[in-house]
Amino acid sequence: MVEPANGHERVSGRMERPGHPGTPDEGEPVETQRDGAPTAEQSLRASNLLLHALTEVQTEFIQGHDTHQLFDKLLLVLLKLTHSEYGFIGEVLFTPEGTPFLRTRAVTHVAWTDTLREFYLREVSTGLEFPHLQKLFGAVMVSGRPVLDNAPSPEEFGTRLEDHPPLSSFLGLPFHSPTEMVGMVGLANRPGGFDTGVITFLRPVLATCCAILQGLRNEQRRRRAEDAQRRSAESFRLLIERSPDAIFIHRRGMLLFANSAAVRLLGYTSGEQLRGRELEAFVQSGGEAMLHESPGGNGLLEVRFRHCQGHEVVGEVVTLSLVFDGRPAVVCIARDMTERRQVQQKLRATERMVSLGTLAAGVAHEINNPLSYLLSNLHFVDDELSAMAEAGEPLGSARGGELREALKEALSGSLRVRDIVRDLKTFSRDTEDQRGWVDVRGVLDSCVNIAWSEIRHRARLEKDYGEVPLVEANESRLAQIFLNLLVNAAQAIPHGDVRANEIRVSTHHEGEQVVVAVRDTGAGISEENLRRLFEPFFTTKPVGVGTGLGLSICHGIVTGMGGRITVDSKLGEGTTFRVFLPIKRPAGVSA
C-alpha cells in the first residue's frame, strides 16, 4: 500500500484523472519498509484519510448534496489510496426480462480522445451502461463475488469505448444488501497489481456505497409511491367529479363534499353552497336517517331529496364508510330515479287499465245482473203503489208486504253494485305515495269480486284465510298484484269443467312476514318459461292477450315493498304463486 497524498486533506468532488500510479504527489516523501510494504504510519494515515472521506460523504448525503458529486468524490479517494489508474462505481440493475446490467454512478473521466470526451460529457450524468456479462465486471455481477485479475487479456475487459488503454490489472468488488446485490466497485491498473489486503481495506467503502445506493432506492420508491398516490388521488377525484351519480360525503350529518352530479341533483350551481350544511336540509323528513345506514345494512335505499326549488327528487342510494381527511365519514352514492319512477308509475297505470279492459265485459255483466232486478223491482213497486193509491189499500196489507220484499231485493242489488264500484276504485285509483296498515284478506276479497266473471266459469274458488296481522303497504298496489295473479290463475284453466278445477287463495303468518298464496290446477308452466317469467314483455299467452308486463310489474312492486314473490309449477299439475310481504315497511322502500 502506498502512502496517500496530503493526509486528511478534503478531496474535491470533481472527477479528474489521477497522476501516474505509484508516484507520490509533489513534496510528499516516500517511506516504505525494506520489503516494499507500507509502514504502520502510512497505513494509519491511509485509514484516517479513508475514514475522513467516508464520514464527509455520508454527512453530505444526509444533507441532500448531489449524489453524482458524492460518488465522484468516493471514486477519487479510491484511486488515490490504491494508486489505481482507472475505476468506476456502478449500480446493478435488471432488464424487464431479469438480466442484470451495470450502470455507472461514477467513472474515470475517459478523455484520451475527443470523441470519447464528448461521449463522456453526454452520458455521464445518466450513467454509462455495460450489459456484457461475459467480461470481468460481468463475472462479478453473475457470481456476486470479488474478481481479482492481475494479468487480464484484452477480451476479458471488453467495453463500448474505443481506444481504451490496455489494462494491467483489475479488481471488481460487489456490495450487497441483506437480500440482493446492489452494485460494485471496479478498479484497474494498480502498479504491482491488487491483493486481498486491498479488498479488506476497501470494505468500509463498499458498505458506504451500498448504504447510499439503498438510500437512493428507498427515496426513489418513496417518490414513486407518493407520485402514484397523488395520481391515484387525482384520478379518484376526477372519477368522482365526472360520475353521473350524485356522491355526498358527510360526517355525523354535516356535508363535507358533493360532486357535480350531487349539485345538479339538488338544483344548486356550486358545491360550496352545500358544504358545511346539515344533511337534513336536503332530504324529506325522515330521509336523513337512511343516509346514516351502515354499509350493506339494507342494500339500496330509496331516499326522497328536496330540490332547491321545492319539488321532490327520488334517489336510489347506497351508503358506505370510509376515511376522509383522516377521519371516519359516510359516502352516499345516489342515482336519480325520479324520471324512472314516473315511467314505472305510468306502466303500472297502463297495466291496470289493460287488466280492467280484459275484465270489462265480465265486470259489466256483474253490474248488469243486480242492476236489472233493481230496476225491475223499482218499476214493480212504482206500479203497485200507484194501484194501491187508486184502490185506497193500506201498506199493511198483503200487497204492501210484497212491495216491502221487492224493496229489500232492490236494496240488495244496489249494495252489490256499490261493492263492485268500490272494488274497482280500490284497484284503479292512483295513490302512489299513500301507505297505511292494510288487511290483505280484504284486498283479496275485493280482487275476487272484480275477477269473479273470469273465475266462475272455469274453477271453484276456495278461500283459506289464516289469521294475519295488518301490513304497512299501498292498498292499490297490493290489489294490482293480487288481481293479476287471480286472472292469470283463471286464464290457465279452460272453460267448462268447474267442478274438476280449483283456485285456492290462502294467507298465513310467517315470522315478520305475511304470506299470500294463489294456487291453480291449470296447465302449469314449463321449466324454461319459469326462468323468464318475471322478465318485462315475456308472456306465454297468445298474441293480443296481455302485454307481458303484468308479472314483471308485480315483481317490481313486491320487491319495492321489501318483499319477494316466488312461483312453483309443473306442467299438467298447476301453479302456485306466493307473495311474501313484510309486516312493517323497511326503511328506504318505495311502497
Side-chain angles (χ1 to χ4, degrees):
M1 182 70 66
V2 300
E3 182 179 358
N6 300 326
H8 296 289
E9 68 178 353
R10 180 178 178 85
V11 181
S12 169
R14 180 172 173 270
M15 273 303 298
E16 297 176 349
R17 187 176 179 183
H20 190 278
T23 302
D25 289 353
E26 184 178 355
E28 190 69 28
V30 179
E31 298 179 5
T32 60
Q33 299 178 27
R34 290 184 178 180
D35 59 1
T39 66
E41 182 181 357
Q42 290 173 332
S43 297
L44 179 60
R45 292 182 65 188
S47 297
N48 286 341
L49 177 60
L50 181 62
L51 178 62
H52 179 77
L54 294 180
T55 303
E56 191 175 84
V57 167
Q58 292 168 356
T59 302
E60 292 178 355
F61 175 70
I62 294 172
Q63 293 173 345
H65 288 215
D66 181 68
T67 55
H68 286 97
Q69 293 184 8
L70 299 183
F71 281 112
D72 281 349
K73 181 179 294 187
L74 274 177
L75 181 57
L76 188 56
V77 170
L78 291 178
L79 294 174
K80 285 190 174 183
L81 291 180
T82 63
H83 283 214
S84 299
E85 186 176 9
Y86 304 110
F88 64 84
I89 300 174
E91 181 178 9
V92 176
L93 301 172
F94 293 87
T95 66
E97 295 77 23
T99 304
F101 66 94
L102 186 74
R103 177 180 292 163
T104 61
R105 286 287 182 167
V107 63
T108 309
H109 193 165
V110 287
W112 44 84
T113 68
D114 291 340
T115 302
L116 289 178
R117 184 180 298 107
E118 293 176 4
F119 171 80
Y120 174 85
L121 293 175
R122 184 175 65 248
E123 298 201 25
V124 70
S125 60
T126 57
L128 282 66
E129 294 184 1
F130 298 95
H132 306 294
L133 299 183
Q134 67 273 24
K135 306 304 179 183
L136 284 173
F137 64 84
V140 178
M141 290 192 292
V142 172
S143 67
R145 300 172 63 85
V147 171
L148 190 157
D149 192 340
N150 286 325
S153 65
E155 293 77 16
E156 288 181 304
F157 197 76
T159 73
R160 58 188 287 190
L161 307 178
E162 298 178 1
D163 301 320
H164 193 291
L167 300 180
S168 59
S169 58
F170 172 78
L171 176 64
L173 300 176
F175 45 87
H176 302 264
S177 73
T179 57
E180 61 182 345
M181 182 176 172
V182 177
M184 66 173 289
V185 170
L187 299 172
N189 290 11
R190 179 175 185 260
F194 296 96
D195 54 34
T196 56
V198 177
I199 298 175
T200 303
F201 178 73
L202 294 181
R203 282 176 181 168
V205 178
L206 303 180
T208 298
C209 290
C210 188
I212 292 176
L213 280 179
Q214 283 191 288
L216 289 174
R217 289 182 176 183
N218 291 337
E219 178 65 16
Q220 290 170 352
R221 281 193 286 265
R222 183 188 66 80
R223 290 180 180 177
R224 284 195 295 266
E226 288 179 352
D227 289 343
Q229 186 175 12
R230 177 182 51 78
R231 289 193 299 270
S232 177
E234 290 173 354
S235 300
F236 182 66
R237 181 170 290 274
L238 184 64
L239 176 65
I240 289 178
E241 278 297 333
R242 295 190 179 181
S243 170
D245 293 331
I247 299 177
F248 305 88
I249 301 178
H250 71 88
R251 184 179 294 120
R252 297 180 181 178
M254 180 74 71
L255 270 177
L256 306 175
F257 171 83
N259 71 345
S260 301
V263 173
R264 291 194 300 271
L265 179 75
L266 300 177
Y268 291 87
T269 58
S270 168
E272 295 299 327
Q273 297 173 284
L274 307 181
R275 293 188 189 100
R277 297 178 62 180
E278 292 292 335
L279 202 60
E280 61 184 14
F282 307 108
V283 294
Q284 301 289 5
S285 179
E288 65 273 10
M290 288 185 280
L291 299 181
H292 290 273
E293 296 288 338
S294 59
N298 291 308
L300 290 174
L301 304 172
E302 186 172 291
V303 177
R304 298 175 185 272
F305 292 92
R306 185 182 294 114
H307 194 275
C308 69
Q309 295 180 355
H311 61 265
E312 183 180 88
V313 179
V314 181
E316 197 173 65
V317 180
V318 63
T319 63
L320 58 141
S321 297
L322 55 63
V323 175
F324 184 79
D325 284 345
R327 296 172 57 193
V330 176
V331 177
C332 305
I333 304 173
R335 178 162 295 176
D336 189 352
M337 302 295 289
T338 307
E339 192 172 318
R340 183 182 295 185
R341 289 288 180 264
Q342 293 170 350
V343 171
Q344 290 174 341
Q345 183 177 343
K346 291 177 182 178
L347 279 176
R348 283 194 288 265
T350 300
E351 180 61 22
R352 283 198 296 270
M353 293 304 102
V354 169
S355 298
L356 287 178
T358 302
L359 300 171
V363 171
H365 181 73
E366 291 297 313
I367 293 177
N368 188 59
N369 279 344
L371 188 61
S372 62
Y373 65 76
L374 169 62
L375 291 174
S376 176
N377 285 353
L378 288 177
H379 284 305
F380 171 73
V381 169
D382 182 53
D383 293 340
E384 288 297 303
L385 283 176
S386 298
M388 289 177 67
E390 291 176 1
E393 291 185 34
L395 291 175
S397 63
R399 198 173 183 181
E402 292 181 6
L403 290 179
R404 288 192 295 274
E405 189 64 30
L407 285 174
K408 288 181 180 179
E409 291 180 0
L411 178 61
S412 175
S414 64
L415 292 176
R416 173 64 180 157
V417 172
R418 182 202 66 185
D419 290 344
I420 292 174
V421 172
R422 180 198 62 202
D423 294 338
L424 285 173
K425 287 176 65 178
T426 298
F427 174 72
S428 61
R429 65 175 174 245
D430 190 11
T431 55
E432 291 295 315
D433 297 325
Q434 293 185 10
R435 305 180 185 91
W437 294 100
V438 181
D439 185 348
V440 296
R441 295 169 297 185
V443 179
L444 282 168
D445 286 338
S446 295
C447 293
V448 166
N449 289 338
I450 297 173
W452 183 242
S453 60
E454 286 286 320
I455 296 173
R456 63 180 182 176
H457 298 300
R458 301 170 187 261
R460 294 174 287 108
L461 179 72
E462 298 290 337
K463 296 181 180 180
D464 182 16
Y465 292 168
E467 289 296 323
V468 292
L470 302 180
V471 297
E472 188 181 9
N474 182 297
E475 186 177 18
S476 173
R477 292 186 183 181
L478 283 181
Q480 185 167 357
I481 297 169
F482 298 152
L483 182 62
N484 189 284
L485 297 180
L486 286 168
V487 171
N488 283 351
Q491 292 179 347
I493 300 172
H495 284 85
D497 198 350
V498 175
R499 292 185 178 181
N501 293 297
E502 176 185 276
I503 295 175
R504 177 176 290 272
V505 182
S506 62
T507 64
H508 70 274
H509 185 195
E510 191 174 290
E512 295 298 316
Q513 294 179 316
V514 168
V515 183
V516 176
V518 178
R519 181 175 66 84
D520 66 69
T521 56
I525 305 170
S526 69
E527 186 175 343
E528 179 183 357
N529 288 336
L530 274 177
R531 290 194 294 267
R532 303 185 58 196
L533 205 57
F534 296 110
E535 293 180 9
F537 303 107
F538 175 76
T539 180
T540 58
K541 298 176 182 178
V543 176
V545 181
T547 63
L549 288 173
L551 287 176
S552 174
I553 289 176
C554 288
H555 183 272
I557 294 174
V558 173
T559 55
M561 292 178 177
R564 57 191 176 94
I565 182 171
T566 65
V567 56
D568 296 307
S569 183
K570 288 185 179 180
L571 285 175
E573 297 183 14
T575 302
T576 302
F577 282 89
R578 293 182 178 85
V579 179
F580 297 80
L581 299 170
I583 296 172
K584 182 170 177 58
R585 178 175 63 92
V589 301
S590 59

